[in-house]
Amino acid sequence: QNDYFCGGKMELNGIEDALTCTNRLISYSRSKGYTIYLIQHITTTKNAAFFVSKTTGAELNNQLDMMGGIVITKSYPNSFRQTVLKNRLDKDGVSEIIICGAMTHMCIDSTVRAAFDLGYKIILASDACATRSLHIANNCISATEIHNGFLAALNGLFCQVKTTDQIILNNPVKLLRE
């Protein structure tokens, strides 16, 4: 969404590269005839800082390949919470998904863990995700450290973490774009 990009209210490190990889995954998935689900966060929190309804920042970025994608709106980090996502996946017979998007430490983490709890087989596209630096007390944890730490924590039990190239070359599964 636009708030994650340069000039947005929540700029992320590496978002342009993540978008490039996401578009490659979407193109690959479309060529295989897979359904593409695009998740759009619209905040319902009063006085929210970003993803405010009917703002440019909340819109899906115009560089995202949205052709033929099904847009599902959410209001929580977990893409399954109070959305139609699970019903759509079940209706479409989906049991394996690829997840990519932003932010690695928030929506990606929440959605991967929820998908795991719901019984989906998950591949997380490491280079098609982005995040930002975080602060605690007087410490700054870099976006790279946050990204790699969350990927490492999810890899193995909750999902398989792979690069876009590894996914395209080895995995005929459906795509979920966060």
Side-chain angles (χ1 to χ4, degrees), residues 2 5 24 34 39 41 48 50-51 55 64 67 79 83-84 87 96 110 116-117 126 136 146 153 155 157 162 169 174:
N2 290 324
F5 288 82
R24 287 184 59 218
Y34 301 144
I39 310 298
H41 192 120
F50 61 105
F51 296 156
T55 65
L64 175 64
M67 186 175 69
S79 295
T83 71
V84 299
N87 290 339
E96 302 178 27
S110 298
F116 171 80
D117 287 345
S126 61
I136 188 163
I146 295 292
N155 190 42
L157 176 62
K162 296 186 176 189
L169 296 174
K174 299 191 180 191

PDB file of all heavy atoms in Angstrom, residues 2 5 24 34 39 41 48 50-51 55 64 67 79 83-84 87 96 110 116-117 126 136 146 153 155 157 162 169 174:
ATOM      1  N   ASN A   2       0.360   2.330  -0.472  1.00  0.00           N
ATOM      2  CA  ASN A   2       1.180   3.524  -0.682  1.00  0.00           C
ATOM      3  C   ASN A   2       1.852   4.066   0.574  1.00  0.00           C
ATOM      4  O   ASN A   2       2.937   4.628   0.492  1.00  0.00           O
ATOM      5  CB  ASN A   2       0.341   4.620  -1.339  1.00  0.00           C
ATOM      6  CG  ASN A   2       0.008   4.288  -2.771  1.00  0.00           C
ATOM      7  OD1 ASN A   2       0.812   3.700  -3.485  1.00  0.00           O
ATOM      8  ND2 ASN A   2      -1.189   4.653  -3.192  1.00  0.00           N
ATOM      9  N   PHE A   5       5.527   3.188   0.959  1.00  0.00           N
ATOM     10  CA  PHE A   5       6.503   3.624  -0.028  1.00  0.00           C
ATOM     11  C   PHE A   5       7.014   5.034   0.272  1.00  0.00           C
ATOM     12  O   PHE A   5       6.486   5.727   1.138  1.00  0.00           O
ATOM     13  CB  PHE A   5       5.889   3.559  -1.426  1.00  0.00           C
ATOM     14  CG  PHE A   5       5.706   2.147  -1.912  1.00  0.00           C
ATOM     15  CD1 PHE A   5       4.609   1.404  -1.524  1.00  0.00           C
ATOM     16  CD2 PHE A   5       6.667   1.546  -2.713  1.00  0.00           C
ATOM     17  CE1 PHE A   5       4.442   0.085  -1.947  1.00  0.00           C
ATOM     18  CE2 PHE A   5       6.517   0.229  -3.141  1.00  0.00           C
ATOM     19  CZ  PHE A   5       5.399  -0.498  -2.749  1.00  0.00           C
ATOM     20  N   ARG A  24       6.922 -10.548  -9.622  1.00  0.00           N
ATOM     21  CA  ARG A  24       7.413 -11.771 -10.267  1.00  0.00           C
ATOM     22  C   ARG A  24       6.587 -12.972  -9.808  1.00  0.00           C
ATOM     23  O   ARG A  24       6.235 -13.833 -10.620  1.00  0.00           O
ATOM     24  CB  ARG A  24       8.887 -11.993  -9.947  1.00  0.00           C
ATOM     25  CG  ARG A  24       9.826 -11.048 -10.669  1.00  0.00           C
ATOM     26  CD  ARG A  24      11.295 -11.367 -10.404  1.00  0.00           C
ATOM     27  NE  ARG A  24      11.608 -12.715 -10.819  1.00  0.00           N
ATOM     28  CZ  ARG A  24      12.430 -13.532 -10.164  1.00  0.00           C
ATOM     29  NH1 ARG A  24      13.054 -13.133  -9.071  1.00  0.00           N
ATOM     30  NH2 ARG A  24      12.654 -14.750 -10.603  1.00  0.00           N
ATOM     31  N   TYR A  34      -3.128 -19.941 -11.101  1.00  0.00           N
ATOM     32  CA  TYR A  34      -3.443 -19.889  -9.673  1.00  0.00           C
ATOM     33  C   TYR A  34      -4.213 -18.613  -9.330  1.00  0.00           C
ATOM     34  O   TYR A  34      -4.037 -17.581  -9.959  1.00  0.00           O
ATOM     35  CB  TYR A  34      -2.166 -19.930  -8.834  1.00  0.00           C
ATOM     36  CG  TYR A  34      -1.315 -21.154  -9.064  1.00  0.00           C
ATOM     37  CD1 TYR A  34       0.064 -21.062  -9.024  1.00  0.00           C
ATOM     38  CD2 TYR A  34      -1.882 -22.396  -9.328  1.00  0.00           C
ATOM     39  CE1 TYR A  34       0.861 -22.180  -9.226  1.00  0.00           C
ATOM     40  CE2 TYR A  34      -1.094 -23.514  -9.538  1.00  0.00           C
ATOM     41  CZ  TYR A  34       0.276 -23.401  -9.481  1.00  0.00           C
ATOM     42  OH  TYR A  34       1.057 -24.498  -9.694  1.00  0.00           O
ATOM     43  N   ILE A  39      -4.290  -8.498  -0.246  1.00  0.00           N
ATOM     44  CA  ILE A  39      -4.836  -8.066   1.030  1.00  0.00           C
ATOM     45  C   ILE A  39      -4.582  -6.574   1.216  1.00  0.00           C
ATOM     46  O   ILE A  39      -3.450  -6.109   1.102  1.00  0.00           O
ATOM     47  CB  ILE A  39      -4.197  -8.848   2.202  1.00  0.00           C
ATOM     48  CG1 ILE A  39      -4.239 -10.361   1.950  1.00  0.00           C
ATOM     49  CG2 ILE A  39      -4.871  -8.466   3.515  1.00  0.00           C
ATOM     50  CD1 ILE A  39      -5.613 -10.961   1.824  1.00  0.00           C
ATOM     51  N   HIS A  41      -5.081  -3.443   3.882  1.00  0.00           N
ATOM     52  CA  HIS A  41      -5.383  -3.063   5.264  1.00  0.00           C
ATOM     53  C   HIS A  41      -6.030  -1.685   5.272  1.00  0.00           C
ATOM     54  O   HIS A  41      -5.460  -0.720   4.778  1.00  0.00           O
ATOM     55  CB  HIS A  41      -4.100  -3.043   6.102  1.00  0.00           C
ATOM     56  CG  HIS A  41      -4.352  -2.935   7.562  1.00  0.00           C
ATOM     57  ND1 HIS A  41      -3.933  -3.895   8.450  1.00  0.00           N
ATOM     58  CD2 HIS A  41      -4.985  -1.996   8.303  1.00  0.00           C
ATOM     59  CE1 HIS A  41      -4.288  -3.557   9.675  1.00  0.00           C
ATOM     60  NE2 HIS A  41      -4.929  -2.397   9.611  1.00  0.00           N
ATOM     61  N   ALA A  48      -5.949   7.051  13.476  1.00  0.00           N
ATOM     62  CA  ALA A  48      -4.863   6.185  13.003  1.00  0.00           C
ATOM     63  C   ALA A  48      -3.814   6.986  12.250  1.00  0.00           C
ATOM     64  O   ALA A  48      -4.118   8.010  11.628  1.00  0.00           O
ATOM     65  CB  ALA A  48      -5.422   5.090  12.111  1.00  0.00           C
ATOM     66  N   PHE A  50      -1.815   5.666   9.761  1.00  0.00           N
ATOM     67  CA  PHE A  50      -1.698   5.289   8.353  1.00  0.00           C
ATOM     68  C   PHE A  50      -2.780   4.284   7.977  1.00  0.00           C
ATOM     69  O   PHE A  50      -3.496   3.788   8.832  1.00  0.00           O
ATOM     70  CB  PHE A  50      -0.295   4.771   8.018  1.00  0.00           C
ATOM     71  CG  PHE A  50       0.133   3.535   8.768  1.00  0.00           C
ATOM     72  CD1 PHE A  50       0.155   2.306   8.138  1.00  0.00           C
ATOM     73  CD2 PHE A  50       0.548   3.603  10.090  1.00  0.00           C
ATOM     74  CE1 PHE A  50       0.566   1.170   8.819  1.00  0.00           C
ATOM     75  CE2 PHE A  50       0.968   2.480  10.779  1.00  0.00           C
ATOM     76  CZ  PHE A  50       0.968   1.251  10.136  1.00  0.00           C
ATOM     77  N   PHE A  51      -2.922   4.036   6.664  1.00  0.00           N
ATOM     78  CA  PHE A  51      -3.958   3.168   6.084  1.00  0.00           C
ATOM     79  C   PHE A  51      -5.364   3.644   6.411  1.00  0.00           C
ATOM     80  O   PHE A  51      -6.291   2.852   6.606  1.00  0.00           O
ATOM     81  CB  PHE A  51      -3.791   1.702   6.499  1.00  0.00           C
ATOM     82  CG  PHE A  51      -2.545   1.043   6.019  1.00  0.00           C
ATOM     83  CD1 PHE A  51      -2.036  -0.045   6.686  1.00  0.00           C
ATOM     84  CD2 PHE A  51      -1.873   1.490   4.904  1.00  0.00           C
ATOM     85  CE1 PHE A  51      -0.883  -0.677   6.255  1.00  0.00           C
ATOM     86  CE2 PHE A  51      -0.715   0.879   4.453  1.00  0.00           C
ATOM     87  CZ  PHE A  51      -0.226  -0.213   5.141  1.00  0.00           C
ATOM     88  N   THR A  55      -7.914   7.294   1.699  1.00  0.00           N
ATOM     89  CA  THR A  55      -6.730   8.125   1.492  1.00  0.00           C
ATOM     90  C   THR A  55      -5.832   7.449   0.468  1.00  0.00           C
ATOM     91  O   THR A  55      -5.898   6.230   0.272  1.00  0.00           O
ATOM     92  CB  THR A  55      -5.925   8.332   2.797  1.00  0.00           C
ATOM     93  OG1 THR A  55      -5.401   7.064   3.230  1.00  0.00           O
ATOM     94  CG2 THR A  55      -6.780   8.961   3.892  1.00  0.00           C
ATOM     95  N   LEU A  64       1.915  -2.349  -8.231  1.00  0.00           N
ATOM     96  CA  LEU A  64       1.581  -3.738  -7.927  1.00  0.00           C
ATOM     97  C   LEU A  64       0.760  -4.320  -9.068  1.00  0.00           C
ATOM     98  O   LEU A  64      -0.213  -3.714  -9.521  1.00  0.00           O
ATOM     99  CB  LEU A  64       0.778  -3.809  -6.615  1.00  0.00           C
ATOM    100  CG  LEU A  64       0.258  -5.185  -6.212  1.00  0.00           C
ATOM    101  CD1 LEU A  64       1.401  -6.147  -5.917  1.00  0.00           C
ATOM    102  CD2 LEU A  64      -0.669  -5.050  -5.006  1.00  0.00           C
ATOM    103  N   MET A  67      -3.753  -7.307 -11.784  1.00  0.00           N
ATOM    104  CA  MET A  67      -4.628  -7.866 -12.805  1.00  0.00           C
ATOM    105  C   MET A  67      -5.177  -9.235 -12.383  1.00  0.00           C
ATOM    106  O   MET A  67      -4.425 -10.161 -12.131  1.00  0.00           O
ATOM    107  CB  MET A  67      -3.881  -7.998 -14.132  1.00  0.00           C
ATOM    108  CG  MET A  67      -4.783  -8.432 -15.274  1.00  0.00           C
ATOM    109  SD  MET A  67      -3.924  -8.454 -16.855  1.00  0.00           S
ATOM    110  CE  MET A  67      -2.801  -9.811 -16.626  1.00  0.00           C
ATOM    111  N   SER A  79      -4.406 -11.431   8.574  1.00  0.00           N
ATOM    112  CA  SER A  79      -5.282 -11.337   7.404  1.00  0.00           C
ATOM    113  C   SER A  79      -6.512 -12.239   7.480  1.00  0.00           C
ATOM    114  O   SER A  79      -7.433 -12.100   6.678  1.00  0.00           O
ATOM    115  CB  SER A  79      -4.501 -11.687   6.136  1.00  0.00           C
ATOM    116  OG  SER A  79      -3.497 -10.736   5.920  1.00  0.00           O
ATOM    117  N   THR A  83     -12.154 -11.426   8.385  1.00  0.00           N
ATOM    118  CA  THR A  83     -12.162 -11.233   6.931  1.00  0.00           C
ATOM    119  C   THR A  83     -12.795 -12.460   6.272  1.00  0.00           C
ATOM    120  O   THR A  83     -13.067 -13.456   6.930  1.00  0.00           O
ATOM    121  CB  THR A  83     -10.739 -11.058   6.353  1.00  0.00           C
ATOM    122  OG1 THR A  83     -10.051 -12.310   6.409  1.00  0.00           O
ATOM    123  CG2 THR A  83      -9.949  -9.984   7.091  1.00  0.00           C
ATOM    124  N   VAL A  84     -12.942 -12.381   4.965  1.00  0.00           N
ATOM    125  CA  VAL A  84     -13.490 -13.505   4.193  1.00  0.00           C
ATOM    126  C   VAL A  84     -12.377 -14.403   3.657  1.00  0.00           C
ATOM    127  O   VAL A  84     -12.652 -15.332   2.891  1.00  0.00           O
ATOM    128  CB  VAL A  84     -14.364 -13.002   3.021  1.00  0.00           C
ATOM    129  CG1 VAL A  84     -15.541 -12.184   3.543  1.00  0.00           C
ATOM    130  CG2 VAL A  84     -13.537 -12.187   2.022  1.00  0.00           C
ATOM    131  N   ASN A  87     -12.721 -18.282   4.143  1.00  0.00           N
ATOM    132  CA  ASN A  87     -13.842 -18.778   3.343  1.00  0.00           C
ATOM    133  C   ASN A  87     -13.503 -18.833   1.860  1.00  0.00           C
ATOM    134  O   ASN A  87     -13.850 -19.793   1.173  1.00  0.00           O
ATOM    135  CB  ASN A  87     -15.088 -17.907   3.558  1.00  0.00           C
ATOM    136  CG  ASN A  87     -15.682 -18.078   4.933  1.00  0.00           C
ATOM    137  OD1 ASN A  87     -15.445 -19.074   5.608  1.00  0.00           O
ATOM    138  ND2 ASN A  87     -16.446 -17.091   5.376  1.00  0.00           N
ATOM    139  N   GLU A  96      -2.355 -24.830   0.210  1.00  0.00           N
ATOM    140  CA  GLU A  96      -0.965 -24.377   0.215  1.00  0.00           C
ATOM    141  C   GLU A  96      -0.920 -22.937  -0.284  1.00  0.00           C
ATOM    142  O   GLU A  96      -1.538 -22.629  -1.302  1.00  0.00           O
ATOM    143  CB  GLU A  96      -0.112 -25.256  -0.694  1.00  0.00           C
ATOM    144  CG  GLU A  96      -0.134 -26.720  -0.306  1.00  0.00           C
ATOM    145  CD  GLU A  96       0.673 -27.580  -1.261  1.00  0.00           C
ATOM    146  OE1 GLU A  96       1.624 -27.069  -1.884  1.00  0.00           O
ATOM    147  OE2 GLU A  96       0.341 -28.772  -1.371  1.00  0.00           O
ATOM    148  N   SER A 110       1.930 -12.204  11.790  1.00  0.00           N
ATOM    149  CA  SER A 110       0.593 -12.548  12.285  1.00  0.00           C
ATOM    150  C   SER A 110      -0.148 -13.467  11.328  1.00  0.00           C
ATOM    151  O   SER A 110      -0.792 -14.433  11.750  1.00  0.00           O
ATOM    152  CB  SER A 110      -0.237 -11.272  12.494  1.00  0.00           C
ATOM    153  OG  SER A 110       0.347 -10.448  13.453  1.00  0.00           O
ATOM    154  N   PHE A 116      -0.857 -21.072   9.725  1.00  0.00           N
ATOM    155  CA  PHE A 116      -0.352 -22.324  10.281  1.00  0.00           C
ATOM    156  C   PHE A 116      -1.390 -22.936  11.225  1.00  0.00           C
ATOM    157  O   PHE A 116      -1.696 -24.130  11.147  1.00  0.00           O
ATOM    158  CB  PHE A 116       0.966 -22.082  11.022  1.00  0.00           C
ATOM    159  CG  PHE A 116       1.450 -23.264  11.804  1.00  0.00           C
ATOM    160  CD1 PHE A 116       2.107 -24.307  11.168  1.00  0.00           C
ATOM    161  CD2 PHE A 116       1.226 -23.346  13.174  1.00  0.00           C
ATOM    162  CE1 PHE A 116       2.545 -25.415  11.891  1.00  0.00           C
ATOM    163  CE2 PHE A 116       1.664 -24.441  13.902  1.00  0.00           C
ATOM    164  CZ  PHE A 116       2.322 -25.483  13.260  1.00  0.00           C
ATOM    165  N   ASP A 117      -1.955 -22.124  12.114  1.00  0.00           N
ATOM    166  CA  ASP A 117      -2.963 -22.613  13.053  1.00  0.00           C
ATOM    167  C   ASP A 117      -4.203 -23.146  12.334  1.00  0.00           C
ATOM    168  O   ASP A 117      -4.883 -24.037  12.841  1.00  0.00           O
ATOM    169  CB  ASP A 117      -3.377 -21.513  14.036  1.00  0.00           C
ATOM    170  CG  ASP A 117      -2.311 -21.207  15.072  1.00  0.00           C
ATOM    171  OD1 ASP A 117      -1.363 -22.019  15.232  1.00  0.00           O
ATOM    172  OD2 ASP A 117      -2.419 -20.145  15.722  1.00  0.00           O
ATOM    173  N   SER A 126      10.880 -14.628   1.267  1.00  0.00           N
ATOM    174  CA  SER A 126      11.737 -13.755   2.075  1.00  0.00           C
ATOM    175  C   SER A 126      12.091 -12.436   1.397  1.00  0.00           C
ATOM    176  O   SER A 126      12.118 -11.389   2.044  1.00  0.00           O
ATOM    177  CB  SER A 126      13.022 -14.484   2.458  1.00  0.00           C
ATOM    178  OG  SER A 126      13.758 -14.846   1.301  1.00  0.00           O
ATOM    179  N   ILE A 136      13.494   0.034  20.981  1.00  0.00           N
ATOM    180  CA  ILE A 136      13.072  -0.344  22.319  1.00  0.00           C
ATOM    181  C   ILE A 136      14.086   0.241  23.292  1.00  0.00           C
ATOM    182  O   ILE A 136      15.298   0.121  23.070  1.00  0.00           O
ATOM    183  CB  ILE A 136      12.915  -1.871  22.491  1.00  0.00           C
ATOM    184  CG1 ILE A 136      12.296  -2.170  23.846  1.00  0.00           C
ATOM    185  CG2 ILE A 136      14.196  -2.603  22.245  1.00  0.00           C
ATOM    186  CD1 ILE A 136      11.725  -3.566  23.982  1.00  0.00           C
ATOM    187  N   ILE A 146      15.543  -6.999  12.079  1.00  0.00           N
ATOM    188  CA  ILE A 146      14.134  -7.321  12.334  1.00  0.00           C
ATOM    189  C   ILE A 146      13.652  -8.335  11.302  1.00  0.00           C
ATOM    190  O   ILE A 146      13.070  -9.372  11.646  1.00  0.00           O
ATOM    191  CB  ILE A 146      13.250  -6.048  12.284  1.00  0.00           C
ATOM    192  CG1 ILE A 146      13.613  -5.080  13.400  1.00  0.00           C
ATOM    193  CG2 ILE A 146      11.765  -6.399  12.289  1.00  0.00           C
ATOM    194  CD1 ILE A 146      13.281  -5.544  14.792  1.00  0.00           C
ATOM    195  N   ALA A 153      12.559 -16.943  12.963  1.00  0.00           N
ATOM    196  CA  ALA A 153      11.610 -17.447  13.950  1.00  0.00           C
ATOM    197  C   ALA A 153      10.468 -18.229  13.287  1.00  0.00           C
ATOM    198  O   ALA A 153       9.978 -19.213  13.843  1.00  0.00           O
ATOM    199  CB  ALA A 153      11.043 -16.293  14.775  1.00  0.00           C
ATOM    200  N   ASN A 155      10.611 -19.709  10.151  1.00  0.00           N
ATOM    201  CA  ASN A 155      11.092 -20.801   9.304  1.00  0.00           C
ATOM    202  C   ASN A 155      11.160 -22.120  10.065  1.00  0.00           C
ATOM    203  O   ASN A 155      11.658 -22.195  11.173  1.00  0.00           O
ATOM    204  CB  ASN A 155      12.479 -20.461   8.749  1.00  0.00           C
ATOM    205  CG  ASN A 155      12.928 -21.435   7.682  1.00  0.00           C
ATOM    206  OD1 ASN A 155      12.141 -21.826   6.828  1.00  0.00           O
ATOM    207  ND2 ASN A 155      14.180 -21.825   7.738  1.00  0.00           N
ATOM    208  N   LEU A 157       8.964 -24.479  11.666  1.00  0.00           N
ATOM    209  CA  LEU A 157       7.690 -24.915  12.229  1.00  0.00           C
ATOM    210  C   LEU A 157       6.502 -24.280  11.522  1.00  0.00           C
ATOM    211  O   LEU A 157       5.578 -24.974  11.092  1.00  0.00           O
ATOM    212  CB  LEU A 157       7.627 -24.580  13.727  1.00  0.00           C
ATOM    213  CG  LEU A 157       6.293 -24.902  14.417  1.00  0.00           C
ATOM    214  CD1 LEU A 157       5.990 -26.397  14.347  1.00  0.00           C
ATOM    215  CD2 LEU A 157       6.297 -24.412  15.848  1.00  0.00           C
ATOM    216  N   LYS A 162      11.628 -19.104   1.696  1.00  0.00           N
ATOM    217  CA  LYS A 162      12.360 -19.278   0.438  1.00  0.00           C
ATOM    218  C   LYS A 162      12.441 -17.950  -0.293  1.00  0.00           C
ATOM    219  O   LYS A 162      11.614 -17.062  -0.081  1.00  0.00           O
ATOM    220  CB  LYS A 162      11.650 -20.296  -0.450  1.00  0.00           C
ATOM    221  CG  LYS A 162      11.599 -21.687   0.144  1.00  0.00           C
ATOM    222  CD  LYS A 162      11.010 -22.677  -0.824  1.00  0.00           C
ATOM    223  CE  LYS A 162      11.083 -24.074  -0.206  1.00  0.00           C
ATOM    224  NZ  LYS A 162      10.734 -25.099  -1.162  1.00  0.00           N
ATOM    225  N   LEU A 169      11.101 -21.628  -9.193  1.00  0.00           N
ATOM    226  CA  LEU A 169      11.716 -22.816  -9.781  1.00  0.00           C
ATOM    227  C   LEU A 169      11.204 -24.121  -9.187  1.00  0.00           C
ATOM    228  O   LEU A 169      11.272 -25.154  -9.830  1.00  0.00           O
ATOM    229  CB  LEU A 169      13.238 -22.746  -9.622  1.00  0.00           C
ATOM    230  CG  LEU A 169      13.904 -21.586 -10.364  1.00  0.00           C
ATOM    231  CD1 LEU A 169      15.384 -21.519 -10.011  1.00  0.00           C
ATOM    232  CD2 LEU A 169      13.710 -21.726 -11.868  1.00  0.00           C
ATOM    233  N   LYS A 174      -0.359 -21.799  -4.654  1.00  0.00           N
ATOM    234  CA  LYS A 174      -1.084 -20.551  -4.831  1.00  0.00           C
ATOM    235  C   LYS A 174      -0.467 -19.416  -4.023  1.00  0.00           C
ATOM    236  O   LYS A 174       0.284 -19.653  -3.087  1.00  0.00           O
ATOM    237  CB  LYS A 174      -2.548 -20.746  -4.473  1.00  0.00           C
ATOM    238  CG  LYS A 174      -3.168 -21.789  -5.398  1.00  0.00           C
ATOM    239  CD  LYS A 174      -4.638 -21.846  -5.285  1.00  0.00           C
ATOM    240  CE  LYS A 174      -5.131 -22.899  -6.247  1.00  0.00           C
ATOM    241  NZ  LYS A 174      -6.536 -22.897  -6.424  1.00  0.00           N
TER     242      LYS A 174
END
